[in-house]
Amino acid sequence: MTANAHGYNDIGNTYIEVDLSEQHMYFYQNGEDIFESDIVSGDMRYSDRQTPAGIYTLYYKKSPDVLRGEKKPDGTYEYETQVTYWMPFVYGQGLHDASWQTSFGGDTYKTKGSHGCINLPPDQAKIIYETIDKGYPILLY
């Protein structure tokens, strides 16, 4: 990968930061915190559903989309879920709206977490979707 900038902060000053332990997301634009939201990350009860920490970039965005789990031998999928705002960043995981979640933040991810994605309240996902573009840095820690 090529750095966005050189020096102390080589990702630039516009990026999304996701604090997995606090279940909170921040959006920085030109170095200013312009948006925050509680989230629900991967379900901690399953090792294959935990959201991977790291530095990624947004692959693309699509609205609407259908998220699908593993394909089963009978040709159906483990799950199929319609989302309005899909923003993938790594291994089929991404940011998206989650209208089925009844709460965000706190300990929700420990028992009602995602399959590794970052679930957002629908109105918050809309704001992010309309603001970011392909290539935006996404930091998860």
Side-chain angles (χ1 to χ4, degrees):
M1 289 189 117
T2 303
N4 290 331
H6 297 284
Y8 178 72
N9 177 359
D10 68 352
I11 63 162
N13 59 6
T14 299
Y15 56 92
I16 291 175
E17 182 177 302
V18 179
D19 185 334
L20 297 169
S21 62
E22 293 295 322
Q23 294 291 285
H24 200 74
M25 183 183 82
Y26 306 86
F27 177 52
Y28 293 94
Q29 191 171 52
N30 299 319
E32 306 247 346
D33 179 359
I34 64 162
F35 175 82
E36 295 184 25
S37 178
D38 285 334
I39 61 145
V40 175
S41 66
D43 193 323
M44 295 300 291
R45 297 174 295 173
Y46 308 97
S47 62
D48 63 336
R49 292 185 182 179
Q50 295 176 16
T51 304
I55 300 173
Y56 307 100
T57 57
L58 181 67
Y59 290 150
Y60 62 90
K61 56 186 191 173
K62 186 176 178 187
S63 178
D65 204 3
V66 177
L67 308 180
R68 293 181 175 90
E70 295 290 322
K71 196 170 195 176
K72 299 189 289 188
D74 67 1
T76 62
Y77 292 92
E78 181 182 88
Y79 64 87
E80 290 186 279
T81 305
Q82 176 83 33
V83 296
T84 304
Y85 307 106
W86 173 233
M87 300 160 274
F89 57 81
V90 64
Y91 311 124
Q93 297 169 345
L95 306 164
H96 64 78
D97 54 305
S99 59
W100 57 90
Q101 292 286 9
T102 56
S103 65
F104 294 85
D107 291 339
T108 302
Y109 73 109
K110 292 182 178 178
T111 57
K112 296 179 183 173
S114 71
H115 286 85
C117 288
I118 301 299
N119 289 183
L120 293 159
D123 60 330
Q124 306 299 312
K126 181 180 191 293
I127 293 168
I128 291 296
Y129 186 88
E130 292 175 347
T131 307
I132 68 173
D133 288 309
K134 177 182 175 182
Y136 266 56
I138 302 174
L139 290 75
L140 295 103
Y141 59 90

